[in-house]
Amino acid sequence: SEESSTLEVAGCHALTVSDPAAFVDDPNSGTAYAEALASTTGADVSYIEVQLSVDASSSGCARRLALVSPAAVRRLSGQVVADYTISIPASDPSANDLANSAQTALESATPSEVTSAVSTALQSYSSLASMSVTVDSMTVPEIATVEGSSSGTGTGTGSSAGTGTGTGSSSGTGTDSTSGTYTLSGDW
């Protein structure tokens, strides 16, 4: 398979949910959350993957949330953590613009704005329409360039539970994008 790279915008949200276990177990929850992020960022919903977990106080996502709000982690018992990744293929001609605008949209969105988008998305699913979901805290989304196939198998684990943990370690890989821009003409 042809190697390609993706730009990934990743972050975490801590959620208070009326029935955390049922929310995480419902296969539509991740889809609805991805739709909410798509409406917030303008990114294509097919680019968005969301991992939902209950009591994820030891996860990398929870550790990043602790940096934003130490009190949020103390409340994580019974809370749902949404660990999201927006993967934009580098082959997309506007990949950099899409990643930057998604990051900016998520940075400027308030928890109540994301809560509203999630609540709207949940209404499309009968199994979720009665769920109450509140976004309590959000990490600052980070952009990373990930080399390899766009299928996400570069983590080496193959399990969907492990895909959220490796994204932070690959940050900073695309920082040399300004090299080679100092081209001089020969007329001086």
Side-chain angles (χ1 to χ4, degrees):
S1 67
E2 189 175 310
E3 291 294 300
S4 60
S5 61
T6 55
L7 284 173
E8 291 189 349
V9 181
C12 305
H13 294 166
L15 317 173
T16 297
V17 181
S18 53
D19 189 342
F23 185 73
V24 169
D25 290 341
D26 192 310
N28 293 321
S29 297
T31 304
Y33 210 89
E35 290 168 355
L37 292 175
S39 73
T40 302
T41 61
D44 190 307
V45 72
S46 67
Y47 291 169
I48 303 173
E49 181 182 343
V50 178
Q51 297 290 333
L52 299 169
S53 51
V54 182
D55 292 335
S57 54
S58 62
S59 70
C61 196
R63 287 192 292 275
R64 294 193 299 277
L65 283 165
L67 299 174
V68 179
S69 171
V73 173
R74 286 195 296 274
R75 293 193 308 266
L76 275 180
S77 175
Q79 271 196 314
V80 172
V81 171
D83 194 342
Y84 66 85
T85 305
I86 304 171
S87 301
I88 303 160
S91 58
D92 187 315
S94 55
N96 284 323
D97 291 340
L98 287 170
N100 288 325
S101 65
Q103 181 187 41
T104 300
L106 286 163
E107 276 180 334
S108 61
T110 64
S112 64
E113 287 169 339
V114 178
T115 296
S116 177
V118 172
S119 297
T120 299
L122 294 179
Q123 297 310 306
S124 301
Y125 301 93
S126 58
S127 60
L128 299 171
S130 63
M131 289 265 183
S132 165
V133 176
T134 305
V135 178
D136 296 318
S137 57
M138 310 186 295
T139 62
V140 174
E142 297 175 357
I143 295 182
T145 301
V146 179
E147 300 298 331
S149 67
S150 58
S151 64
T153 55
T155 58
T157 61
S159 69
S160 59
T163 57
T165 58
T167 56
S169 62
S170 59
S171 64
T173 55
T175 54
D176 61 348
S177 60
T178 56
S179 63
T181 55
Y182 303 104
T183 306
L184 301 175
S185 65
D187 292 336
W188 58 283

